[in-house]
Amino acid sequence: MSNIDEKLQPILDQVLRRNAGEAEFHQAVTEVLESLGRVVAKHPNYLDRALIERICEPERQVIFRVPWIDDRGEVRMNRGFRVQFNSALGPYKGGLRFHPSVNIGIIKFLGFEQIFKNALTGLPIGGGKGGSDFDPKGCSDNEVMRFCQSYMTELYRHLGEYTDVPAGDIGVGGREIGYLFGQYKRLTNRYEAGVLTGKGLVYGGSRARTEATGYGATYFVQRMLETRGNGFEGRRVVVSGSGNVAIYTIEKVQELGGKVVACSDSSGYIVDEEGIDLDLVKEIKELGRERISKYAARQSRAHFVEKGSIWDVPCDVAMPSATQNELTGRDARALIANGVIAVGEGANMPSTPEAVRLFREAGVLFGPGKAANAGGVATSALEMQQNASRDSWTFEQTERRLADIMHGIHDTCAATAEEYGSPGDYCLGANVTGFVRVAEAMRALGVI
Ligand code: NDP
Ligand code: 2IT
């Protein structure tokens, strides 16, 4: 049973009914509505004009067929999605995920989280998300290109720098954004750089965007740790995943003096008690697009664990940076028993509700994804700023803005949690701060 205010329960019931079978979307909406009881008690006018019902309903959902031809000449078919969830604060903004598990419920959960995350950045961006059940693993470069071109051939009509601005997520990195931007440019005959973010530096990308999500999550956790006296220096850290977010989390944690002893991919995890050799991880995952087990084959002091949970590796700080619900109640118990002091979510919704509850009860510092991983989309908004002004900032300038934004998000979430009577509850702080910003804009804009 959820812990929901009685005025919000009928709204949640309606969301669950209307979106039957969309488990991840139910989970994301429940988690936010659980935080809003105290807000509507203080400001009942947020219940007026079906404002909360409207926040839970996407403004527009696009689902389309994506046919493409593989290297053997066979026709393949995938499903494409774009959920344009909320544009009260700015154009829809959020990544594209290419992974075989993608369905409408997953895109809606991601789009819903994105609304509040983007509001937390303080930058003018609404919330959206998209993707496809296309699996890039094992595809040649030409196959990925043909898929991206077909995907954009439908999606381009729904995009624009003032309308909807996608970026990367799982399975979508610099290579895919390049092919998507190329096809958009060709179809529209416009060099509209601000229509996509995460672009390469040679054609309008921003410095520090590749690093931004991982760096930002690390800044957020550093700030949380400082509330208890010290930062990453000398800490044992476990980071799940070995993709974009995980790699740049490891990089910044190491720079701040932490020791990352384990990381993973969908095939298992590696442990290196001397500290992960990040150059080797980058060579295997970023350049080679290979399996993480290769790390243990190349580095004899490390070992690979095929089955089992990375959260069994003892650590002071855990940073789940792979995918949703990868850290369960069982994993949280193991982390707590091993003395974890902080958890920072690099991924979106990686901890199950039971895990979040256990961390809260144990007094573990917990940075929820919509706050801790907001550095990626924040830097995307900085990329849009650079594109709009036809400018290009230095790495230092961009990273400084990112660090300031992350510290600001941390401090605002902490202050809101305090104001609402739950000091240290970053989930409450993030949900309430994000909600209030979007709700204020929606009230001003009328019933639309
Ligand atoms: P990548 O595709 O670069 O890397 C994803 C990593 O997670 C890979 O190591 C992958 O393993 C692993 N993984 C993916 N799906 C699963 C699964 N179902 N089970 C186990 N492992 C899995 O993606 P990102 O690093 O960009 O994204 C990681 C997380 O961070 C996602 O939750 C994403 O939504 C979130 N995020 C990303 C942002 C960004 O800017 N990129 C911004 C904010 C949040 P394998 O290689 O075996 O597939
Ligand atoms: O989940 C996320 O915030 C992202 N995948 C990044 C979105 C973006 O528009 O940069």
Side-chain angles (χ1 to χ4, degrees), residues 93-96 110 114 117-118 129 165-170 197-198 209 213 348 373-374 376-381:
K93 181 82 198 88
L96 300 174
L110 290 163
Q114 201 80 45
K117 181 195 306 192
N118 293 5
K129 200 85 187 188
V165 183
D169 194 82
I170 292 175
T197 62
R209 174 61 188 91
T213 311
N348 285 306
N373 73 36
V377 77
T379 309
S380 279

Side-chain angles (χ1 to χ4, degrees), residues 258-279:
K259 189 203 256 188
V260 182
V261 293
C263 69
S264 63
D265 67 13
S266 58
S267 61
Y269 66 93
I270 54 127
V271 182
D272 184 343
E273 288 291 341
E274 298 295 304
I276 299 279
D277 172 353
L278 190 59
D279 288 339

Side-chain angles (χ1 to χ4, degrees), residues 68-71 98 134-151 171-172 175-177 179-180 289:
W68 55 284
I69 296 176
D70 68 18
D71 286 347
F98 292 171
F134 170 68
D135 186 0
K137 272 204 197 77
C139 282
S140 71
D141 204 44
N142 281 336
E143 288 175 328
V144 170
M145 180 175 73
R146 287 195 293 272
F147 174 81
C148 288
Q149 290 175 340
S150 181
Y151 181 87
V172 177
R175 173 182 63 171
E176 291 73 20
I177 294 294
Y179 295 146
L180 290 164
R289 299 180 188 276

Side-chain angles (χ1 to χ4, degrees), residues 110-127:
L110 290 163
F112 186 74
E113 291 283 287
Q114 201 80 45
I115 303 171
F116 306 103
K117 181 195 306 192
N118 293 5
L120 278 172
T121 68
L123 297 164
I125 40 180

